[in-house]
């Protein structure tokens, strides 16, 4: 047996254990090890059935994603051989039971679906998340899943990639039993129960493949909307559809073709880059591994506005008690009402139960004073963006905080060192720049000042993970990485308008490129007055956006900005804005979509390169992750720096 796959016998059952930490990926050696174990067991008189289980924290979390790059670069042959291994499991004359804990994902679930039975612990999850990597299941998942779980469930799992809980897997027929107590013991007991039964091959089970035409049409439409611009979800739907129109072997062939198309696409390369990037950003090469990390047991947030409320929710969601301070009862009540509404919405949508909401609300302590701040391990400031106010607040925090408390500012542009200078402990001050809505968006730019201590940095990075966020460490400069780049992107967008493009044309070109929103619609949503205030503070030259603000057009919140918002949300081009632009614009010429994308995205890339040169961003991948998770850059283009490199190379 290989190092990665072990075999033992218990009670007449052969136990195959995949032991490839950290997540038992199907790296070279694992499929071969499983195959050898299954084949040897066929002639092993001491074995009547087989159990396949994962060592450590999980079952098999999928193919080894690192191998895909080797395949597309030609370093390795395209075939991972997994499909053949799964067929061998399915063809075993002795029943095979997969025992699932942690996650059975991608190729992991595909292996499990080759077995005759699956048992799982209640906390396990199963899924086909390949679309998140720009590919589709490539080892029979699109063909066996509809046979086990029905077409609707298979389409949902393969096209949208979200895992499901063990209870749902049991209900839909993916799992045969939920095991209470020790998984291996339960799996062996199950295997002994089924020894006498003739193994039933999942690939022969056609009874759930009935009439499904409407399912595919609806799923394609949903994927067009929610996975805009991505090819893998549509390919996954095509592959599941093939399961309903073709015999199993032909369906497998079709799946393989679609898998290959996706794997060799630019989209999957970009999304795999993003997958590893999300993990890479957590690693700070120069930070000593033994840097102590403080435990954050209690938090306090100053400011119950949109950002402060969202930040407080993040703490409560992670089980950390949090004080939420405001200066007036009215502002505090408004903040708490918004939080309550957000949580109630989640309960209504079934994301969690009322009792979870009650427990989270119970962790929030709204108040007008600094009472209890002396116990907080972290104090997060989220007041209006303005240096004078921030300095005043940090002066106050400095007086009440315990000596080893982390003092975090949510500033999106201001100088961290200047804010820190008003305290007696600049080494404890750091930026935690959240993105709106802070309870939803996963990015936190963690901004180190020149005196921020290693411990405060390490604790902030660990805290981001605990809050289920992606923390990216950046240096201190105006706007840090994200907003500094955004500034040139917006300026370039406005230049295009000054030269002849309409705001709607710029927005549409960038939306079609894949941005979550065009720059003008995004500015209206964020509020034009924020940028106006910052530009005034920094004495920037006046812009068309400033002229809009002077007219009282602050964006969606005032019903008008670059667009007019009759219903409060839908942008409609406004003749008043056209007239203003006409007055202020420097020229009028035809500007193509290509020029719009080239100049705006080009501006992002150039400014990103500058932040790298200056050491403000550590690595290109940090910029990519900031833009994907904070600014709606299409993940299938890999982030601006990845896109820039790919465009130059092509
Ligand atoms: C597939 O299966 C295609 C098939 O159809 C077959 C076709 C032929 N490979 O996320 P974590 C690394 S496609 C290689 O921090 P967690 C990860 O980079 C695959 N490496 O842990 C990290 O490394 P490092 C379908 C992997 O507990 C370390 O493991 N499967 C893989 O927060 C820990 O990861 C997926 O898409 C992998 N498959 O979450 C599942 N997975 O420490 C992808 C992880 O050096 N994985 N690593 O930074 C996940 O969703 C999460 O990792 C998981 C654990 C939920 C499993």
């Amino acid at each position: 047996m290989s190092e990665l796959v072990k075999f033992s016998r218990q009670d007449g059952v052969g136990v195959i254990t995949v032991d490839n930490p950290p997540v038992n990926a199907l790296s070279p050696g694992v499929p071969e090890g499983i195959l050898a174990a299954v084949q040897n067991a066929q002639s092993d008189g001491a074995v009547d059935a087989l159990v396949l289980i994962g060592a450590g924290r999980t079952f098999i979390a999928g193919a080894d994603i690192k191998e895909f790059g080797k395949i597309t670069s030609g370093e390795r042959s395209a075939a991972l051989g997994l499909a053949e291994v799964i067929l061998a499991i399915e063809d075993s004359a002795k029943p095979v039971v997969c025992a699932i804990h942690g996650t059975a994902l991608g190729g992991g679930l595909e292996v499990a679906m080759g077995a005759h039975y699956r048992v799982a612990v209640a906390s396990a999850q199963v899924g086909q998340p390949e679309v998140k990597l720009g590919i589709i299941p490539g080892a029979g998942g699109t063909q066996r899943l509809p046979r086990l779980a029905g077409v609707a469930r298979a389409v949902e799992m393969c096209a949208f990639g979200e895992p499901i809980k063990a209870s749902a897997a049991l209900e839909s027929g993916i799992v045969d039993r939920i095991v209470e107590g020790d998984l291996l013991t339960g799996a062996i007991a199950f295997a002994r129960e089924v020894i006498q039964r003739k193994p039933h091959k999942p690939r022969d089970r056609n009874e759930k493949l009935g009439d499904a035409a409407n399912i595919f049409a609806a799923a394609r439409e949903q994927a067009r909307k929610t996975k805009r611009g991505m090819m893998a979800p549509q390919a996954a739907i095509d592959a599941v559809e093939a399961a309903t129109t073709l015999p199993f072997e032909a369906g497998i062939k079709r799946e393989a073709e679609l898998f290959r198309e996706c794997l060799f696409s630019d989209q999957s390369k970009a999304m795999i880059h993003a997958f590893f990037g999300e993990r890479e950003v957590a690693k700070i090469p120069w930070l000593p591994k033994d840097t102590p990390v403080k435990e954050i047991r209690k938090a306090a947030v100053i400011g119950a506005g949109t950002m402060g409320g969202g930040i407080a929710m993040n703490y409560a969601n992670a089980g950390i008690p949090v004080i939420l301070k405001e200066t007036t009862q009215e502002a505090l009540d408004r903040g708490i009402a918004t939080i309550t509404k957000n949580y109630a919405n989640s309960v209504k949508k079934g994301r969690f139960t009322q009792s979870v909401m009650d427990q989270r609300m119970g962790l929030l302590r709204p108040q007008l004073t600094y009472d209890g701040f002396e116990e907080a391990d972290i104090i997060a400031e989220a007041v209006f963006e303005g240096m004078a106010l921030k300095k005043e607040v940090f002066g106050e925090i400095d007086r009440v905080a315990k000596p080893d408390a982390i003092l975090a500012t949510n500033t999106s542009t201001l100088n961290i060192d200047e804010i820190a200078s008003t305290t007696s402990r600049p080494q404890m001050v750091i930026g935690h720049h959240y993105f709106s809505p802070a309870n939803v968006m996963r990015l936190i730019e963690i901004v180190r000042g020149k005196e921020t201590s290693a411990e405060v940095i390490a604790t902030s990075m660990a805290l981001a993970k605990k809050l289920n966020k992606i923390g990216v460490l950046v240096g201190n400069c105006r706007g840090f990485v994200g907003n500094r780049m955004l500034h040139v992107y917006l300026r370039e967008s406005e230049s295009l308008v000054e030269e002849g493009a309409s705001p709607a044309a710029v927005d549409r070109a960038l939306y079609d490129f894949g941005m979550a929103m065009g720059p003008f619609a995004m500015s209206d949503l964020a509020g034009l007055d924020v940028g106006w205030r910052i530009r005034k503070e920094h004495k920037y030259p006046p812009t068309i956006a400033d002229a809009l603000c002077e007219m009282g057009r602050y964006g969606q919140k005032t019903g008008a900005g670059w667009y007019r918002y009759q219903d409060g949300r839908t942008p409609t081009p406004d003749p008043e804005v056209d007239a203003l632009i006409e007055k202020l614009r420097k020229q009028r010429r035809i500007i193509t979509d290509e020029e719009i994308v080239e100049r705006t995205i080009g501006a992002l890339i150039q400014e990103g390169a500058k932040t790298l040169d200056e050491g403000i961003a550590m690595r290109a991948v940090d910029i990519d992750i900031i833009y994907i998770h904070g600014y709606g850059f299409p993940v299938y283009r890999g982030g601006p720096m990845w896109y820039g490199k790919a465009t130059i190379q092509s």
Side-chain angles (χ1 to χ4, degrees):
M1 205 69 3
S2 81
E3 280 291 293
L4 305 172
V5 181
K6 303 189 168 73
F7 185 79
S8 62
R9 294 177 193 82
Q10 280 186 47
D11 229 0
V13 175
V15 179
I16 306 168
T17 306
V18 177
D19 189 3
N20 182 25
V23 297
N24 291 325
L26 293 156
S27 317
V30 175
E32 295 82 348
I34 297 173
L35 181 64
V38 171
Q39 283 172 342
N40 292 343
Q42 303 307 310
S43 54
D44 186 338
V47 163
D48 297 320
L50 288 162
V51 165
L52 175 60
I53 193 166
R57 61 179 170 164
T58 185
F59 188 71
I60 301 165
D64 186 335
I65 301 167
K66 289 190 289 293
E67 295 298 312
F68 291 140
K70 295 185 193 158
I71 295 172
T72 50
S73 68
E75 197 182 312
R76 252 199 89 174
S77 98
L80 288 175
L82 196 54
E84 292 72 30
V85 175
I86 294 170
L87 278 179
I89 295 173
E90 205 172 25
D91 286 339
S92 166
K94 300 179 181 180
V96 184
V97 179
C98 279
I100 301 171
H101 72 300
T103 49
L105 297 176
L109 179 57
E110 291 173 302
V111 166
M113 289 193 298
H116 309 109
Y117 304 97
R118 286 143 299 278
V119 299
V121 292
S123 58
Q125 297 201 340
V126 304
Q128 299 285 176
E130 286 89 343
V131 285
K132 295 185 184 178
L133 301 168
I135 54 175
I136 67 165
T142 62
Q143 306 303 299
R144 288 193 182 84
L145 191 52
R147 287 176 160 82
L148 288 180
V151 176
R153 178 65 92 179
V155 166
E156 178 197 307
M157 288 174 67
C158 294
F160 300 99
E162 293 308 320
I164 60 170
K165 294 186 180 144
S167 52
L170 178 72
E171 211 175 284
S172 48
I174 300 170
V175 159
D176 300 288
R177 179 180 293 173
I178 304 286
V179 170
E180 311 277 344
D182 181 63
L183 176 62
L184 182 57
T185 311
I188 291 175
F190 185 94
R192 296 213 57 80
E193 281 173 41
V194 297
I195 282 172
Q196 297 310 324
R197 291 191 218 155
K198 185 176 175 311
H200 197 165
K201 295 177 189 175
R203 67 171 186 261
D204 292 340
R205 293 168 57 175
N206 293 334
E207 65 276 8
K208 290 191 176 177
L209 296 177
D211 179 28
N214 292 341
I215 295 174
F216 299 119
R220 285 194 176 96
E221 190 48 36
Q222 192 189 340
R224 247 189 298 278
K225 283 193 195 134
T226 62
K227 305 279 169 193
R228 186 166 53 91
M230 295 185 193
M231 64 187 280
Q234 301 290 346
I237 298 167
D238 290 351
V240 177
E241 187 170 32
T244 66
T245 54
L246 300 173
F248 180 80
E249 288 70 22
I252 286 281
K253 251 192 168 155
R254 181 75 188 120
E255 179 194 81
E257 284 164 12
L258 290 161
F259 173 78
R260 237 186 111 73
E261 265 171 42
C262 289
L263 182 65
F264 282 84
S265 71
D266 290 342
Q267 292 200 354
S268 98
K269 288 176 197 146
M271 289 169 86
I272 290 172
H273 162 71
F275 173 85
F276 285 117
E278 282 167 22
R279 285 144 184 93
E280 183 72 15
V281 295
K283 296 167 191 150
I284 315 297
W286 51 264
L287 202 64
K289 289 238 167 344
D290 56 357
T291 307
V293 172
K294 288 170 190 294
E295 202 181 330
I296 303 294
R297 291 193 199 88
K298 289 184 179 175
V301 175
I302 303 183
T306 317
M307 293 310 289
I311 295 169
M313 286 175 78
N314 291 331
Y315 284 108
N317 296 348
I320 301 170
V322 54
I323 298 172
L324 183 57
K325 181 189 176 305
E326 253 301 346
T327 44
T328 66
Q329 190 62 45
E330 198 193 343
L332 192 59
D333 290 346
R334 214 176 320 125
I336 292 296
T338 306
I339 293 174
T340 312
K341 197 173 88 193
N342 285 341
Y343 276 144
N345 261 338
S346 294
V347 172
K348 208 157 67 192
K349 288 186 180 149
R351 290 201 192 110
F352 46 77
T353 60
Q354 181 65 42
S355 82
V356 170
M357 167 171 169
D358 295 344
Q359 182 221 338
R360 291 181 185 183
M361 288 301 293
L363 290 170
L364 281 167
R365 203 170 105 192
Q367 62 185 48
L368 299 174
T369 66
Y370 280 111
D371 284 355
F373 270 59
E374 69 284 357
E375 287 180 10
D377 301 302
I378 183 163
I379 301 176
E381 164 277 314
V383 302
F384 276 120
E385 188 78 348
M387 185 53 92
L389 179 60
K390 301 262 185 202
K391 280 181 160 176
E392 189 188 317
V393 170
F394 269 78
E396 288 169 17
I397 299 176
D398 193 33
R399 281 192 286 282
V400 294
K402 64 180 179 181
D404 63 343
I406 294 180
L407 311 184
T409 169
N410 182 46
T411 180
S412 53
T413 53
L414 299 173
N415 186 337
I416 303 288
D417 293 329
E418 196 176 335
I419 295 174
S421 71
T422 55
T423 72
S424 58
R425 42 178 136 179
Q427 76 283 0
M428 301 310 293
V429 177
I430 192 160
H432 284 186
H433 175 212
Y434 290 84
F435 291 72
S436 187
N439 52 313
V440 177
M441 301 287 281
R442 289 197 68 208
L443 178 68
I444 311 178
E445 260 185 328
I446 296 182
V447 193
R448 63 187 150 84
K450 65 174 186 289
E451 296 196 48
T452 309
S453 75
E455 195 174 342
V456 168
I457 293 172
T459 305
S460 296
M461 298 303 291
L463 177 66
K465 196 166 165 93
K466 187 162 183 195
L467 300 182
N468 193 24
K469 301 281 174 188
I470 299 173
V472 183
L473 185 67
V474 298
N476 183 27
C477 69
R478 188 174 294 166
F480 319 127
V481 171
N483 277 347
R484 172 172 160 175
M485 289 169 63
L486 184 71
H487 176 75
V488 295
Y489 170 77
L490 294 179
R491 202 177 54 201
E492 197 59 33
S493 304
E494 207 171 308
S495 296
L496 286 159
V497 170
E498 284 168 4
E499 291 171 35
S502 70
V506 175
D507 276 358
R508 193 191 33 75
L510 285 159
Y511 182 80
D512 289 349
F513 171 78
M515 298 300 287
M517 286 179 118
F520 296 107
M522 184 189 73
S523 300
D524 273 359
L525 180 65
L528 300 180
D529 52 324
V530 183
W532 186 36
R533 203 172 316 130
I534 294 166
R535 284 191 294 275
K536 278 201 288 194
E537 179 144 349
H538 297 310
K539 302 195 170 49
Y540 283 145
T543 64
I544 301 179
D546 294 344
L548 290 169
C549 288
E550 275 148 28
M551 292 158 75
R553 303 180 67 117
Y554 291 176
Q556 276 198 27
K557 61 185 164 193
T558 56
W562 285 101
Y563 297 95
R564 175 157 297 284
Y565 297 87
Q566 253 107 2
D567 60 359
R569 290 186 65 123
T570 318
T572 323
D574 186 344
E576 200 174 277
V577 177
D578 294 344
L580 176 78
I581 292 171
E582 212 43 58
K583 207 167 79 192
L584 299 177
R585 88 168 13 137
K586 295 172 185 142
Q587 51 177 299
R588 167 177 277 288
R589 62 183 181 84
I590 290 172
I591 296 182
T592 61
D593 286 3
E594 289 72 38
E595 181 177 347
I596 292 171
V597 170
E598 213 169 282
R599 281 177 53 184
T600 50
I601 303 297
L604 273 184
I605 298 167
Q606 273 175 23
E607 196 64 20
K610 279 190 207 158
T611 68
L612 275 174
D613 281 351
E614 293 168 23
I616 298 293
M618 241 182 328
R619 301 157 289 210
V621 70
D622 294 303
I623 300 174
D624 289 337
I625 298 304
I626 288 174
Y627 259 76
I628 291 168
H629 288 282
Y631 296 87
F633 197 94
V635 60
Y636 61 83
R637 296 197 193 272
M641 306 317 280
W642 176 270
Y643 175 76
K645 207 167 116 194
T647 316
I648 291 167
Q649 279 167 355
S650 68

